[in-house]
Amino acid sequence: MIGVLITTHGNLGNELIKAAELIKGPLSDILHISVDQSRNVEDIKKEIGNAIKKLDKGKGVLVLTDLFGGTPSNISLSFMKEQKVEVVTGVNLPMLLKLSEVKESMTLREFACFIKEHGQKNIYVASELLSKKALG
Amino acid sequence: MAQDLNIELVRVDNRLVHGQILESWVPYVKAQCIIVVDDNIAGNVFDETVIRMAVPSEIDLIINTVEDFAHNYNFSHNKGKNTIVLFRSIRDVCKAYELGFHFDKLNIGNIHHEEFKVCCSPSVFLCDTEIEDIIRLLENDGVVVELKRVPRERAVNIREALKGYCNLSP
């Protein structure tokens, strides 16, 4: 199983997990680390490093983070050196709901791409969708 | 080759380029250039790449050591690209000042010193030497020091914040 770590500004990630569990039931192999402004970057780095170690059961860890270029993302990217970590930014609820569908055969990279595509595909402008339906 | 840079913001932030910079300060000062001044990052391919990836391509990014930075640019106030200069520590910005990078105003965003003596705001924890450096900038060099994470936040008055630690003329 590929582990999943969510790193976000404030408590966003934790709330996303709560919302996903409300819909899907308990999620396994998932942790959240909150990055807030009262904390030292080195401490957060250590905490993220420990979480990655804990989550890695041999197939690596997918890090989902909120904003590309933000501190949670910047720190997460610094762990990509080890090849056992993949980072996907712009985390949203549809992505979290899809996590449990990871197939045993997927590599970390494939899993990351699968989650990214799912997250992107699930953003709609409702009126565009409606007009398409009406025309179709 | 010297380049004219219109310095809009000089900031100490131990997170260097991050969300507050890209989402708040860049649009606020209409930045066309970001300079990261840091001896550890300049020349480190991986760290430089992470920062380069984060900065939008229409904004110039320069990553320099403190010495190279202070010696290689012409700093002006109305000529050249609108520029944000980021330092990781008070020590580094003071070193640049001593080497000739002069500015009227210093913004402090995030500093978390392990052995801090004064907590000035939720994101600024200063140790003894940092406080000494800031006092020197304030008293000897007449620099305005402003504690502000994002542009639309009210600044913390540094003289007020250091009041319990030492006496500064208002």
Side-chain angles (χ1 to χ4, degrees), chain A residues 9 35-44 67-74 77-81, chain B residues 14-15 17-20 22-23 44 46-47 50 53-55 88 110 112-114 122-123 125 149:
Chain A
H9 289 86
V35 175
D36 71 54
Q37 302 183 352
S38 60
R39 298 185 59 202
N40 184 318
V41 174
E42 290 309 310
D43 290 346
I44 301 167
L67 178 72
F68 190 72
T71 307
S73 163
N74 291 346
L77 287 173
S78 69
F79 287 94
M80 281 184 66
K81 273 181 196 165
Chain B
N14 58 16
R15 300 181 177 197
V17 175
H18 65 114
Q20 289 170 354
L22 297 173
E23 303 298 328
N44 179 324
F46 187 83
D47 289 347
V50 170
M53 277 162 54
V55 174
R88 190 196 297 273
N110 298 283
H112 296 272
H113 205 280
E114 291 286 317
S123 71
F125 301 81
R149 288 169 295 189

